[in-house]
Structures are given as C-alpha cells and as structure tokens.
Amino acid sequence: MPFTKLGLTPNVLRGVQAMGYTDPTPIQLRAIPVILTGRDLIGSAQTGTGKTAAFALPILTKLGAHQAIGPRVIVLEPTRELAAQVETSFRDCGRFTDLRATVIHGGVGYGKQRSDLRSGMDIVVATVGRLMDFLNTGEIRLDALSILVLDEVDRMLDMGFLPDVKRIIQRCPKQRQTLFFSATVPPEIQAVASFALRDPARAEIGVARTVNQSVTHAVYPVAQAKKFDLLNALLERIDFDSVLIFSRTKHGADRIARRLKSAGHSVAVLHANRSQNQRIEALDGFKSGRYEVMVATDIAARGIDVAGISHVINYDVPKNPEDYVHRIGRTGRAQAVGDAFTLATPEEAGDVRDIERFIGQRIPQEKLEGFDYHAPATNPPRPQQQSHPRSGGQGQGRGQRQSQPQRSHPAQSRPAAHASQSAGGQSAPRPAAPAAPARPQPGPAAPRSGLTRGRWNPHRR
Ligand code: AMP
C-alpha cells in the first residue's frame, strides 16, 4: 500500500516525498492507520525500520495546524542524541506544516529551551530528567497534551528512568492517546504498559531478536593483547564509508580513539562522560564525514541514525545480547546494506554463544588473512605522545586518509582478507586460505563476507 492510501494529510505527504520515502516500511504500514484512529499502541520493531516516521507522520496529521496552547504531544526518549534525532524527524516530516517542535534535554543550559516552551510548541521531544525539571518548576504544563509517546522503553528501564516515567505519566491528562515503543516487553515494562495504556493495539514487526537481514556479520577470534592490532588491520583492509566502533566502557572508548588517531584516522568519540557540546560535535562531525570513525559506548549510540554507516565493529562483545542487535542495527539501516564485525577473545566466547542463542543463528567466524596473530602486540602510545603527524590532530576527513607507514599487510593479500571458517564453532582460527578473491555467494545459505562484498578499493594502497 502506498503512503497516499494511509490517510495522511497532503502537507504531511509532501514531507514524506521530500524525505525521499517511496514505500511505507512494515511498521509504518501497521502503525500509521492505528494511530490515526486514536487508539493506544504498543509497537515493537527493530531500530532502523522506520519506527520514528511510523509515529511522527500520523501525529503530524492528527495535530493539523499550529496552536499556541502548550504542547499537545510529548515524546519521551532515553538519550539526548535520540531526542535530538527524533525532533529532527518531526521537523523534516512536518516541513510543509506550520506545526512547531522543540527538543529539551540535559547537558545544556535552560535558557533556549525555556524560551521555546514559552513561545508555544505543538510537539516537545524530551529526555526524562529535563522534562521532570520543567514540570517541577511549572514551566511546562501538560493540560493541552493529547498524545504521549514513550519511545525505547526497554532502554529507559535499563537506565533506571522508569520511576520518573511513571511520575510523568501520572501528570498527563487521562484523556489522551499513548504510543509505547519497546524492543522487548519484559514484566517490568508490561507493568508500565498496563499502567499507561488503555486497550492498546499491538504492532510487532519482525522479532526484536533478529538482526537486520541486510547486514552481514562475522566474529573475529583474537587474543586480548592483539585486539587493537586486529582492529587496525581490519580498518586498513576494508574500504569503508564510515565505521562505528563500540566499546563496552567509556575509558575503553577513549583509549581506542587515542590509538586510532595515532594511526592516522579521523576519529570522533561518543560516550556519557563527554560534555553535550563534545557529543554534538562528535555526532555532527561523524554525520558530515569529517570523522570517518566514531568510537562509542552503547548508551550514547542507542538508536542514532547516521546514513551510510558501512561498518559496525564491536571491539568488545556486548554482555547483553540485545545490545548486539541494537549495535548491528546502526548499519544497514532502511534499505542500505552494512557489515558488522565482532572482535572476540577466548574469554568472550561464552558471550558470543549467548548472542547466537538470542538471535537464533550462528555468526560466521572469520580470520583476517595475512594478519600475524602470533606477533607481539604493538604498544599503545603513551597518553602524552603527540598524535600521528598526518592525523592533523583529529585526522583527515573521510576519503582523505593517507597511507600509513606501519601498515603490515602486503598489498597482494588484499583481495582475500580472510578465510571463512565453518559458521558457528568457537575454535581458534585456521591458517589463512590461499589468497584468491572470495566472491559473495548468492542466497542466505552462504553468508556473505563483510570484507569481500565489493568494498575493496584497489587504489587504497
Ligand atoms: P528509524 O527506525 O526511525 O530510526 O529510521 C531509520 C531510517 O529509515 C531513517 O534514516 C529514516 O529516515 C529512514 N526511513 C524511515 N521511513 C522510511 C521509508 N518509508 N523509506 C525509506 N527510508 C525510511
């Protein structure tokens, strides 16, 4: 069914067209008609499925024209980045309406948010803490509220926000429509849903445990001491547009970023210890291509939507299998394809098995051909050491990287980056296969290899 048949108003449809969306995604097909009827909804869909437009488009349609009577829609998000992103989606989809949207979140001053609220906003996208602040000072009133959206509720649970979320729900008018999105609905979340929703419809799209089919994923077994060298070697071999690297810890993210900068990459870092300005600068720089690599922790990167992330690399195996699905969801978004690599030490083999059980499929194991798994590990640079002179402090932008003096792989080994092991088993990697260009095999039975899918750039070295 085309967008034109879903009941959206002409000015919202113009927004859809301007966004370049041709066909609704499955969650949009299911959720838009339900939301337009005014019924409460529990939506469960993977990130990257078009979930935001699934609620933004019918909300814009329902609101009609601007009214300066206080927010009629509140959207609650777990992180600042998500809040900013969702507000941008509202603005983009609603660009041909006169509706007004703003975002309020912590980490920045109150002044602009306060004056935005005073000027009369139709839609307020908020993080939990800052919304509570404004509610407590009486600077935001919810009398005119008609739609409450609780997004990524499972992540709000993880972050300990549910008590405040409940307080916010209690302050909303009883007569309202509530839209509730959560990848999973464990009992604690079901309790909030029962509290917040009345006779909800359900839209479950796919299974939240599945990884996006457009993403090819692989595990690279490696000793802890060699992890960084393997990461560096992978980055040298793949022809990437932009790479998102996940670290389990904030300090780990800083360390990886420091070493990548020394190796000549342009690197952004995103984690909760960075100031809001640093976080904005990192995300904007990554989106614009000024940084080719972003190193992030799970919380900071949850749900972020950056077009053209060609590779996600898990430097650490996520402890929580659900995070694997979310991390992998950062690439291959919407109709795009992407590759996801996970570096796993023998100690992390159990975590990999947990993920495989969770997603119900084996993750192929790969070995980077030509990489010396037994050579001594390269020492990390001392923190006070200068960046690599070619990195220009932050390194070069995407597509401008220069060759590295310490490259350790003969160019002739480039076409076959790895020898694919039988999917599954956690055994140590076999010796590399002869270097022959590995062609992707069609069909789901032969998982495509991330490194051999036409992203080789023979001119790189
Ligand atoms: P989301 O799941 O809301 O984070 O959306 C993921 C990405 O899909 C965003 O870049 C959206 O702009 C994009 N998107 C949403 N709906 C559509 C659609 N119908 N067709 C193509 N892309 C879409």
Side-chain angles (χ1 to χ4, degrees), residues 3 19-25 28 46-53 85 303 305 333-335:
F3 274 110
M19 294 289 286
Y21 303 162
T22 48
D23 298 303
T25 64
Q28 290 163 0
Q46 286 172 243
T47 54
T49 55
K51 174 165 62 87
T52 313
Q85 190 171 292
D305 181 26
R333 290 172 78 72
Q335 271 83 29

